[in-house]
Structures are given as C-alpha cells and as structure tokens.
Amino acid sequence: MKISIIGAGAMGGAFVEGLLKIDTITPGDITVADPYQPTLDHFASEGVSVTTDNNAAAKGADIVTVVVKPWLVENVLKGIKDTLDYSKQMLIVIAAGVSSESIKTWLDKNGSTPHFFLTIPNIGISEKASMTFVVPIDATTEETKKVTDLFDELGGSLVIEEKLLGAGTTLASCGIAYAMRYVRASVEGGVELGFKAKDATKIVLQTMEGAVKLLQATGEHPEAAIDKVTTPGGVTIKGLNAMERNGFTNAVIEGLKAGSK
C-alpha cells in the first residue's frame, strides 16, 4: 500500500514517523511532499520518497493524505484535483474545522467527488499511540476498514459522525496537551516534595502509564479503580478532596468545553 503525505509539519511529520514504525509498511511505500527542504532531507535519510511537487506525490498513491493548515486545504486540494483518480485512490484530510461539504465543492469534477475521510489524530501518532477520529464520507465499508486498520496500527481509532469532530479534537488532540500540563504540574509538585525534576518526571510518567494500562485491561470505571486505593481516612482521599476543593474536575471540564468552541 503506497501512502502519500502532503504537508509534513508537526502533525504530518508525526504521521510519517508513525508510519515508519509499522512493520507492514516500508519507507519506499511512503512519499512526502513539503516545501521545506530540511524536512525532506530528514525523511529522505529514512528511505522515504520526497518531493516539493504535490501532484507528483499524489500520482500513483493508494492513499493520499493532506495534512496542512486549515486555511491551506482548499488550495492544496484544488491543486491536486486533476491528478487524483477518484475511482482508485482514497483521500484523507487531516485539518480541524474543514467541512466535508467544502471538500466536495473544491473537488467536484462534473458532479463526481471522491470517497474520502476526515480524520483527526494527535501527535502521539509518531509513537503509534494516537487516538484518531475517522469520519467516512461516501466511503465503502471496505475502504473504511482499510483506513481504520491503518490508524489502529498507529494507536486506536474511532469512527464518528462529522458533527462530533470538534468535540473529538478537544478531547484527544487538544487533550494530549492537557495531559502533558498535568504531567508538568505533578512534576513541579514532586520537586516541592523533595524529588529531583528528572526523578519526578520518571515517577509521574510511569504512574500515568500504570493508570492507563489498568483501565484499558479491566474496563473499569475510573471511580471504581480509584475506590481500590482510597483507604478510609488515608492520604489518597485527602489528596483527591483537596484537588476537588481547588476545582480539579471542573477545571478539566471547562477546559474541554472551551477548546471545543
């Protein structure tokens, strides 16, 4: 399966890095188009085909992925419109806030539009640890499976309705930054408690990994898992209640709501 990525900035570059870690995809199966030469040089050193020509990247690919800033999507899609083969190629657009109706308008060829997917991963994709939302637009079940299988290899995926993309973006794409802010706060707390910053970081990251793996393995509600470690009158419940008095849960919810506006 040949995959082309048009736009290798923070998100597009992370996508390529993740693809390079998949055993079933070779570097030669990947083509990257980007105007920034140092980016191309980096991926060329990994065995990836590189070009500054978007049409050259799109031609012959099984999947064409456009990963550029939202305000650039229209020009990029119109620029490769004549190259895209709607009968053979699948198109993936990774750009927050770009609607399927706009894409259909930009790519209309005498009433014909491609089967495509709106997707929103997060930068964890570079380590095959993304939560990716997938919205199929006129795609077949087989096409949708191919795309979700790909993103499942890069973490996990969820097929959703287009109207939920904004919420998905703030929950998982913005959410990875929120999780990192929690790490930062916990590390600062660990330093105040007496640990060196490096050691505090190791402690917090391993603790977060343990929490995630436990919830994934058991399927428990978080509160049920919390109950297992909150001894009556113990330090855990005191810490949790102190966080709540300072608005922890409400701060998280309000942050998510603000990010979805």
Side-chain angles (χ1 to χ4, degrees):
M1 180 170 61
K2 295 191 177 298
I3 303 175
S4 289
I5 297 89
I6 297 175
M11 188 69 254
F15 183 37
V16 179
E17 295 289 356
L19 291 174
L20 287 168
K21 294 180 174 70
I22 296 178
D23 293 336
T24 55
I25 295 177
T26 66
D29 292 328
I30 305 168
T31 298
V32 170
D34 197 87
Y36 189 54
Q37 193 59 47
T39 295
L40 297 182
D41 292 342
H42 165 70
F43 288 120
S45 71
E46 298 287 337
V48 173
S49 298
V50 300
T51 180
T52 57
D53 185 340
N54 292 345
N55 282 287
K59 187 175 182 179
D62 298 305
I63 297 177
V64 178
T65 310
V66 173
V67 198
V68 297
K69 299 297 184 184
W71 56 87
L72 298 175
V73 173
E74 179 178 1
N75 284 340
V76 170
L77 289 179
K78 286 181 176 179
I80 62 173
K81 176 179 175 179
D82 291 337
T83 299
L84 291 174
D85 185 339
Y86 295 175
S87 67
K88 295 180 180 179
Q89 294 177 302
M90 287 187 291
L91 173 68
I92 294 174
V93 177
I94 300 176
V98 179
S99 72
S100 61
E101 287 306 312
S102 293
I103 292 172
K104 286 183 177 183
T105 298
W106 299 332
L107 292 179
D108 182 85
K109 293 182 184 179
N110 299 316
S112 176
T113 55
H115 297 180
F116 63 95
F117 297 84
L118 302 176
T119 68
I120 297 292
N122 64 40
I123 57 173
I125 202 167
S126 65
E127 296 300 323
K128 301 199 303 181
S130 174
M131 179 64 237
T132 301
F133 299 98
V134 177
V135 179
I137 307 297
D138 300 327
T140 66
T141 300
E142 182 181 0
E143 290 168 336
T144 300
K145 186 176 186 306
K146 285 181 180 180
V147 170
T148 54
D149 283 350
L150 173 64
F151 284 109
D152 282 342
E153 288 198 72
L154 295 165
S157 70
L158 183 67
V159 176
I160 63 171
E161 298 177 62
E162 186 172 353
K163 66 181 181 180
L164 287 174
L165 266 184
T169 298
T170 193
L171 194 58
S173 188
C174 301
I176 199 167
Y178 304 155
M180 289 175 180
R181 181 57 61 87
Y182 168 80
V183 171
R184 172 184 162 187
S186 292
V187 169
E188 290 177 352
V191 172
E192 188 168 341
L193 291 170
F195 288 101
K196 293 180 179 179
K198 182 179 180 181
D199 292 336
T201 301
K202 179 179 180 179
I203 292 166
V204 173
L205 292 179
Q206 185 59 51
T207 301
M208 286 188 68
E209 182 180 356
V212 170
K213 287 187 174 179
L214 278 170
L215 291 176
Q216 288 178 331
T218 64
E220 283 185 316
H221 189 285
E223 284 302 320
I226 288 171
D227 285 345
K228 293 180 179 179
V229 294
T230 48
T231 304
V235 295
T236 302
I237 192 61
K238 290 177 181 177
L240 287 169
N241 286 341
M243 289 181 182
E244 290 304 324
R245 283 195 298 272
N246 284 278
F248 180 80
T249 297
N250 188 62
V252 172
I253 293 170
E254 290 301 316
L256 290 170
K257 287 163 64 178
S260 67
K261 292 178 181 177

